[in-house]
Amino acid sequence: MKFNIRGENIEVTPALREYVEKKLSKLERYFDTFPEIKVNLKVYSDQQRVEVNIPFPDLLLRAEEAHTDMYAAIDLVVDKLERQIRKHKTKVNRKVREKVAVAAAEAPSQDVLDEDDIELVRTKRFDLKPMDIEEAILQMNMLGHNFFVFTNSETNETSVVYTRRDGKYGLIETK
């Protein structure tokens, strides 16, 4: 496993690096191969934040946790990643049993636009993978986003699922 560990407002000590690598190495049992794991450790005045991104070809695992103790935040983020992996594996296995092809997509991430200037600060491109609505909602929730763009496998059209204010889900379909 390769690790890219960065610190913002914190020096990544060998002990801290070793702890991160040891904890994240536990995830190796879920997959045959692993890409480079990107870890960002941040320190703010009252809390420690850990962000982890694991980009697979057909899935993006991302987790972020904050705590007053950096080591506790690392433990929490590993637990969150394990839950995401188990949820994804269960979904994939169920689809295989139903003999339906499984394809997961990298979710788009778009920074918030400044409403005063309406200045575009970031553009991301991603491949739309065919999937059903339920799988798109699962991907959106796993990534912690409030919307998700995908190709609907039933209609073969681009669609968007989103979280409504009442906590339910909405679907936007194109013509």
Side-chain angles (χ1 to χ4, degrees):
M1 294 176 84
K2 289 191 227 172
F3 294 93
N4 180 0
I5 303 173
R6 288 187 11 193
E8 291 182 25
N9 299 330
I10 184 174
E11 180 184 342
V12 180
T13 63
L16 190 57
R17 177 179 298 279
E18 184 178 315
Y19 189 78
V20 169
E21 290 177 0
K22 176 184 167 196
K23 287 296 187 173
L24 288 173
S25 293
K26 291 180 181 180
L27 302 177
E28 199 169 21
R29 67 179 178 219
Y30 293 105
F31 296 99
D32 297 331
T33 60
F34 253 90
E36 181 180 41
I37 298 174
K38 297 175 182 151
V39 181
N40 197 3
L41 309 172
K42 299 178 183 178
V43 175
Y44 299 107
S45 59
D46 61 338
Q47 69 177 356
Q48 322 283 316
R49 182 174 299 274
V50 179
E51 296 175 11
V52 178
N53 288 307
I54 307 174
F56 287 98
D58 59 347
L59 173 70
L60 173 66
L61 293 174
R62 181 184 185 284
E64 182 175 330
E65 280 294 333
H67 198 276
T68 55
D69 177 46
M70 181 62 78
Y71 291 94
I74 293 167
D75 291 340
L76 290 171
V77 83
V78 170
D79 291 342
K80 187 180 266 189
L81 285 166
E82 281 186 322
R83 282 193 305 273
Q84 286 181 10
I85 291 169
R86 280 194 301 272
K87 193 172 184 180
H88 177 71
K89 289 278 189 178
T90 301
K91 175 79 173 176
V92 169
N93 288 337
R94 184 172 46 140
K95 290 280 187 177
V96 168
R97 282 192 305 266
E98 295 171 358
K99 295 181 181 178
V100 175
V102 175
E106 290 183 14
S109 175
Q110 185 176 17
D111 291 341
V112 178
L113 295 177
D114 185 3
E115 293 180 16
D116 298 331
D117 298 335
I118 307 181
E119 178 184 346
L120 182 65
V121 294
R122 188 171 191 179
T123 301
K124 286 199 170 189
R125 296 182 186 275
F126 58 95
D127 293 327
L128 295 178
K129 307 271 171 120
M131 63 181 70
D132 60 20
I133 296 168
E134 182 182 301
E135 188 170 354
I137 291 172
L138 175 71
Q139 279 292 315
M140 177 181 66
N141 290 336
M142 278 186 9
L143 293 165
H145 293 283
N146 55 5
F147 73 94
F148 187 80
V149 181
F150 67 104
T151 300
N152 191 328
S153 61
E154 295 171 10
T155 63
N156 207 26
E157 297 289 332
T158 302
S159 300
V160 178
V161 291
Y162 62 95
T163 306
R164 296 169 38 99
R165 288 188 182 139
D166 62 4
K168 297 181 181 172
Y169 300 104
L171 175 67
I172 300 172
E173 295 182 314
T174 58
K175 290 184 179 182

